[in-house]
Structure formats: C-alpha cells, structure tokens
Amino acid sequence: MINLVKKSLLISCSILLCGCITTNQSIERKNYFPWENETGYTQVVKNNNTLYISGITSEKVSFENQVDDIYTNIKKILSDYNVGTDAIVKEVIFTTDIEKLKSSIPIRKAHFDGKYPSASWVEVKRLWSESHFLEVEIVVVLP
C-alpha cells in the first residue's frame, strides 16, 4: 500500500512539473543600428509578449532636441510591433542633468497620450558619449 502511495505521489509530482515547463518560449532579437553587434548588445529583445528596449540616445545638439529625438525613435521601434507609447510599462532615464530633464517634461509628455509608464530618472556623471545628455531604456508589454 505504501509503495502504491509513493508511486501515485511520484506520478502526480511528475505531471505537475511537466505542466510548469513552457516550451513555447521564444526569444527574438532585433538590431536597429550597425554598432550594436560591434559593441555587443541588441536594441530590442522580445520574450513572449514583452519587449526590452536598450537605452536609446541621440546625437542632437540640445538637451530638448535629444529628448524629442529619443522618443521619436522609440515610437518608430514601437510601430514595428504595432503599439504606441501606452504599451510602455517601465522607463528608466539616465541623464547627465536632472534639472534639464525636469524642465523638458513637457517635451517628453507630448509623446504620450496621458498614459505614463512607471519610471525612474537617474542623474549620472557620464553616458557612453560625452555628447549624450540622456539615455532612455524601456520595457513594453504587447497585447
């Protein structure tokens, strides 16, 4: 009787564990810029219905133009997945000047339809290039 209970328990646990394993999970990677492979990163990684978008920067001259350019590029990437900025659930902004970022809030907000992501804004000493004033990294959930 005890052996039968042990076998039943073992079979039940095996079935339960097999049900927890997902084999459908596929990770897709998409590059947008030639330097990504040279540097060793991917701009967009898609795992199931989640996009992880690496930090996006801009070569525009002014802080305000960089903000606008970065969100314009984010929207272009999102359009490849048929979503808008309302699909962004997490945003991290690294900036070399938090006060300029605060004053650029209206420019950033203009790229959203009133549905803002959770966000962290962090002032840093320097970004990849000295000409970069900010870098925006996002997580997107696809429908």
Side-chain angles (χ1 to χ4, degrees):
M1 178 72 165
I2 291 180
N3 284 338
L4 183 60
V5 171
K6 286 181 180 177
K7 281 184 181 180
S8 295
L9 186 58
L10 184 59
I11 291 171
S12 297
C13 288
S14 297
I15 291 171
L16 180 65
L17 287 175
C18 287
C20 293
I21 299 171
T22 52
T23 56
N24 297 4
Q25 190 176 48
S26 65
I27 296 175
E28 299 171 20
R29 291 172 170 78
K30 186 170 183 180
N31 291 345
Y32 282 82
F33 305 101
W35 60 82
E36 294 172 40
N37 282 331
E38 295 168 15
T39 308
Y41 76 98
T42 303
Q43 189 66 61
V44 179
V45 175
K46 180 181 179 216
N47 182 5
N48 294 322
N49 69 331
T50 304
L51 299 178
Y52 300 90
I53 301 179
S54 297
I56 297 178
T57 60
S58 172
E59 295 298 328
K60 299 292 183 182
V61 176
S62 76
F63 193 97
E64 295 78 11
N65 287 343
Q66 284 193 16
V67 172
D68 189 52
D69 188 46
I70 288 169
Y71 283 96
T72 298
N73 284 324
I74 287 172
K75 290 188 329 190
K76 287 177 187 174
I77 291 170
L78 295 178
S79 71
D80 286 349
Y81 296 91
N82 300 312
V83 294
T85 56
D86 59 327
I88 301 172
V89 296
K90 178 65 178 161
E91 167 194 68
V92 179
I93 300 176
F94 300 98
T95 182
T96 57
D97 190 335
I98 200 77
E99 294 307 318
K100 282 190 179 176
L101 178 59
K102 288 178 186 179
S103 68
S104 299
I105 287 174
I107 298 167
R108 176 189 163 272
K109 285 176 69 175
H111 289 278
F112 291 89
D113 292 326
K115 296 179 182 176
Y116 307 109
S118 77
S120 298
W121 298 356
V122 182
E123 186 173 87
V124 295
K125 181 178 177 180
R126 182 174 161 207
L127 295 166
W128 179 263
S129 170
E130 290 182 15
S131 65
H132 296 157
F133 302 128
L134 68 155
E135 181 171 330
V136 180
E137 175 181 294
I138 60 173
V139 176
V140 175
V141 174
L142 301 173

